[in-house]
C-alpha cells in the first residue's frame, strides 16, 4: 500500500473547507466538486516537486493611496484634480477598510491613515471653492 505524504494529508484535511466556499457562493455542488478535485490533484502533484510558493498568495497593494496623496498635492495648483483625488482616495480607503473588516483582519489601520486627510481635504476644498 502506498504511503501518503504530508502534502496529501494536508489537502485531504482541507478539502471540505475548500469545497464549502464555492458551494455556499454558487449553490452547485457538482461543478464545485470537480473544480476543487482538479485543483487539489494538481497541488498534490506539483507541491512536493516544486514546493509551495507562498508569495503567490499575497497580493501586493497597488500604489493607489500614494497616487491619491500626490493628487491631493497637485490639487493645490489644479483644484479639480485635488477634488477628484480626495473623492477617489476616500472611496478607496472606505472600501479597503470594509474588506479588512469583512475578512476579520486587523490591518485596517493603514487605509484608515489615508481616510481623514482625504475627507478633510474634500470638505475644506468644497467649502472654500464649491464642488467644482
Amino acid at each position: 500500500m502506498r504511503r501518503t505524504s504530508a502534502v496529501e494529508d494536508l489537502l485531504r484535511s482541507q478539502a471540505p473547507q475548500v469545497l464549502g466556499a464555492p458551494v455556499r457562493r454558487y449553490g452547485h455542488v457538482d461543478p464545485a466538486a470537480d473544480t476543487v478535485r482538479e485543483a487539489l490533484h494538481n497541488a498534490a502533484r506539483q507541491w512536493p516537486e516544486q514546493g509551495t510558493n507562498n508569495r503567490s498568495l499575497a497580493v501586493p497593494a497597488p500604489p493607489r493611496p500614494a497616487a491619491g496623496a500626490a493628487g491631493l498635492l497637485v490639487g493645490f495648483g489644479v483644484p479639480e484634480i485635488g477634488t477628484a483625488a480626495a473623492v477617489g482616495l476616500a472611496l478607496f480607503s472606505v472600501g479597503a477598510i470594509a474588506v479588512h473588516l469583512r475578512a476579520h483582519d486587523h490591518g485596517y489601520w493603514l487605509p484608515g491613515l489615508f481616510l481623514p486627510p482625504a475627507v478633510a481635504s474634500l470638505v475644506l476644498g468644497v467649502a472654500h471653492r464649491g464642488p467644482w
Side-chain angles (χ1 to χ4, degrees):
M1 176 176 242
R2 188 173 78 85
R3 184 183 159 135
T4 62
S5 69
V7 171
E8 289 178 18
D9 292 338
L10 173 68
L11 295 175
R12 286 182 202 280
S13 69
Q14 296 302 313
Q17 287 95 2
V18 173
L19 179 60
V23 169
R24 278 191 306 272
R25 174 72 170 107
Y26 300 109
H28 301 289
V29 176
D30 292 337
D34 292 342
T35 303
V36 168
R37 186 179 309 113
E38 183 180 342
L40 293 177
H41 174 73
N42 290 338
R45 191 181 74 244
Q46 293 174 1
W47 284 1
E49 299 167 4
Q50 301 171 1
T52 59
N53 184 2
N54 291 335
R55 293 191 50 82
S56 68
L57 301 176
V59 179
R64 290 184 190 134
L72 291 177
L73 293 176
V74 171
F76 286 120
V78 183
E80 292 81 11
I81 291 178
T83 302
V87 168
L89 190 56
L91 291 175
F92 175 80
S93 297
V94 168
I97 290 169
V99 167
H100 281 282
L101 290 175
R102 182 173 172 140
H104 302 287
D105 178 24
H106 298 290
Y108 54 84
W109 62 271
L110 184 59
L113 290 177
F114 290 97
L115 186 58
V119 171
S121 174
L122 181 61
V123 169
L124 292 174
V126 168
H128 178 68
R129 61 181 182 280
W132 296 106

